[in-house]
Amino acid sequence: MAAFSEKTEGVSGKILALIRENNRITIPGPAEVIGVTERSVERNIDKLKNERILIRVGPTRGGHWEIEEE
């Protein structure tokens, strides 16, 4: 995996910061705070999941996020 610092730029970095504050945050939360579309948040989360930086634990409703930090 590439260095974590290389993965935390832009919208993805802001999403990770919001998840650190509240690991049960839903897609509309970061979209509103960051000022991007929900689809943009979804794309960035998909990217973070594919890079194994972000993991969803539990069901879509009622689960939470975990960040894999080196």
Side-chain angles (χ1 to χ4, degrees):
M1 179 182 341
F4 185 75
S5 60
E6 294 174 16
K7 305 291 185 186
T8 58
E9 298 176 10
V11 174
S12 293
K14 293 175 184 176
I15 290 169
L16 289 172
L18 291 168
I19 290 172
R20 282 188 189 96
E21 292 176 16
N22 175 9
N23 70 350
R24 296 188 184 277
I25 198 165
T26 60
I27 300 294
E32 183 177 333
V33 171
I34 298 168
V36 297
T37 64
E38 290 182 18
R39 183 65 191 122
S40 176
V41 172
E42 291 169 351
R43 278 193 305 269
N44 280 274
I45 285 176
D46 286 344
K47 181 181 112 177
L48 292 167
K49 286 170 34 179
N50 288 335
E51 293 172 352
R52 299 181 185 196
I53 293 172
L54 191 60
I55 298 169
R56 182 71 182 176
V57 177
T60 302
R61 293 183 183 259
H64 66 276
W65 297 103
E66 288 186 1
I67 299 172
E68 291 292 316
E69 299 187 55
E70 294 180 336

